[in-house]
Amino acid sequence: ASVIAIDLAPSMIALAKERLGERAARVDFRVGSFTELSSLVSMWERGHLVVSAYALHHLSREDKVETLRQAHRFLEPGGWCVNADLVVAESPALEARIQQLRVAGIVRRAGFRDERFKDASATRAFLDDLEAKDGDRPLTLADDLAALRAAGFRDAGLVWMEHREAVTVGVRS
C-alpha cells in the first residue's frame, strides 16, 4: 500500500517517523493542514481510503464539509472516508449524562495515578480547559453524517460509538 500522511505540525511528522521506524520509508509525509488537502495532493493522485482521527471536530460545519469535499475528490469511486472523532448529543440532558459517564470513566482508568484526574471535579476542569484551548466544536452525530452526505459521500453511517467518540464512514459513488 501507498500511504500519504498529512499533519500541520512537523513535530508530529517526526514522531510518526520515529514510531514507524524503517517502515516510515514507505510513507509519503507531507506537512500541511487537512483543510488544504487539494493543495497537498495533486489532482492526479487518487486513493482508496481517507482516514481522519480526532481532528475534524476543530472545524466549523462549513469548513468540515469543504474538507470532506476535498477528501471526496481525492478518492477513487468506491473509496472510503473514515472519521474517528468527537460528537455531542442532540439533547442537553443526554449530553450532561454522557459527560458524567465520560468523567467517571477517566477517573476510574486514571486510578489516582494522575493528579489531573484525581476526582470528577479535577477531571471536568481539565477537560473544559483542554476543549477551550483546542477550540473544540463537535457536531451532533446527525450533523456529522449530514456533513459527509453534503460533501458527496453516499452510505454515510456510524460504525462505532462510545460516549462522545464516534467512527463514521462514507463511500464515494
Side-chain angles (χ1 to χ4, degrees):
S2 297
V3 175
I4 300 171
I6 298 170
D7 200 291
L8 187 60
S11 61
M12 294 306 289
I13 297 286
L15 180 61
K17 287 178 179 179
E18 180 183 317
R19 287 183 176 171
L20 286 170
E22 60 188 52
R23 293 175 295 199
R26 299 183 354 214
V27 178
D28 179 357
F29 291 96
R30 299 179 190 183
V31 176
S33 172
F34 53 80
T35 62
E36 298 167 354
L37 184 61
S38 295
S39 67
L40 294 168
V41 178
S42 87
M43 61 185 275
W44 306 110
E45 293 176 289
R46 292 285 181 261
H48 300 285
L49 178 66
V50 170
V51 177
S52 176
Y54 301 99
L56 298 182
H57 68 276
H58 297 294
L59 301 177
S60 68
R61 184 186 192 288
E62 297 76 27
D63 289 342
K64 187 175 206 173
V65 169
E66 177 52 33
T67 298
L68 291 169
R69 278 190 184 118
Q70 291 179 53
H72 187 270
R73 285 191 293 270
F74 167 76
L75 288 168
E76 295 279 357
W80 285 62
C81 178
V82 178
N83 182 36
D85 217 339
L86 302 176
V87 294
V88 294
E90 300 273 344
S91 123
L94 182 55
E95 179 64 20
R97 181 62 180 138
I98 289 169
Q99 289 293 343
Q100 287 175 332
L101 293 169
R102 178 180 179 219
V103 167
I106 292 169
V107 171
R108 186 182 75 257
R109 287 187 301 274
F112 306 105
R113 291 181 302 275
D114 189 325
E115 206 46 38
R116 297 171 299 177
F117 311 120
K118 66 182 176 184
D119 58 29
S121 178
T123 302
R124 183 74 262 157
F126 175 83
L127 292 173
D128 289 345
D129 184 57
L130 177 68
E131 291 166 3
K133 283 181 187 173
D134 285 351
D136 287 2
R137 295 187 266 181
L139 302 174
T140 65
L141 177 59
D143 285 341
D144 223 43
L145 294 172
L148 278 166
R149 290 184 196 101
F153 289 99
R154 65 172 170 84
D155 298 328
L158 173 70
V159 294
W160 178 86
M161 185 171 187
E162 181 178 5
H163 304 304
R164 293 185 69 211
E165 299 179 28
V167 178
T168 56
V169 298
V171 180
R172 179 173 180 187
S173 303

